[in-house]
């Protein structure tokens, strides 16, 4: 999608601190980290948000979470874990309309989230 921030990051038109890339996903550090480790995993296919996920994309989402946990472990969070989050649409606080999994680690998080 031409006017999408994350599509531009995937294309390399906007710089990012890339962590990982393959043919179907891209991972990079969040520009405004909310934890000592905070990165995003996004599909290369533009999907607006989780509410618009189609049944054909469930495997992709599973692989994104699997990669997120591998990257989290590589970032030193394998032992203590962290928070894997998808914000969806306005009530979820989504600010970039391209599906993304957040991983936040390196500190303890409260539950329920505020
Ligand atoms: P959300 O609020 O769930 O839509 O999350 C969007 C995230 O994208 C926020 O945590 C932002 O800090 C992050 N973000 C926005 N622009 C950039 C960028 N250029 N590079 C990396 N992360 C970004
Ligand atoms: Zn996009």
């Amino acid at each position: 999608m031409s006017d999408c921030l994350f599509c531009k990051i995937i294309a390399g038109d906007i710089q990012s601190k890339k962590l990982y890339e393959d043919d179907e996903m891209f991972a990079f550090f969040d520009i405004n980290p909310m934890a000592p480790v905070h990165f995003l995993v996004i599909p290369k296919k533009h999907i607006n948000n989780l509410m618009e996920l189609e049944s054909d994309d469930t495997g992709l989402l599973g692989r994104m979470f699997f990669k997120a946990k591998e990257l989290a472990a590589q970032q030193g969070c394998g032992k203590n874990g962290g928070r894997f989050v998808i914000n969806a649409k306005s009530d979820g606080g989504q600010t970039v309309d391209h599906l993304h999994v957040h991983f936040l680690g390196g500190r303890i998080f409260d539950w329920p989230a505020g």
Side-chain angles (χ1 to χ4, degrees):
M1 207 190 207
S2 58
D3 63 346
C4 168
L5 174 66
F6 285 178
C7 284
K8 287 178 182 165
I9 284 178
I10 291 163
D13 295 338
I14 292 177
Q15 294 300 308
S16 68
K17 281 178 68 181
K18 183 165 92 173
L19 250 178
Y20 177 78
E21 179 176 14
D22 64 22
D23 58 347
E24 63 177 358
M25 69 182 86
F26 191 96
F28 56 106
F29 288 103
D30 197 291
I31 203 167
N32 183 26
M34 295 292 155
V37 178
H38 185 180
F39 63 80
L40 306 173
V41 181
I42 65 178
K44 287 192 169 174
K45 173 183 177 181
H46 180 93
I47 300 169
N48 283 319
N49 57 67
L50 187 63
M51 304 310 292
E52 295 183 23
L53 193 80
E54 296 182 346
S55 57
D56 283 354
D57 297 321
T58 55
L60 168 62
L61 188 61
R63 291 187 292 276
M64 286 167 56
F65 271 103
F66 191 81
K67 183 53 65 179
K69 75 96 183 174
E70 286 187 334
L71 294 172
Q74 283 173 21
Q75 293 296 312
C77 299
K79 181 167 178 282
N80 291 340
R83 185 69 53 91
F84 297 79
V85 175
I86 296 178
N87 297 322
K89 303 193 77 174
S90 53
D91 280 4
Q94 184 177 2
T95 59
V96 179
D97 291 334
H98 180 128
L99 177 66
H100 47 283
V101 174
H102 292 256
F103 174 78
L104 302 107
R107 68 174 174 88
I108 295 170
F109 294 89
D110 293 332
W111 187 260

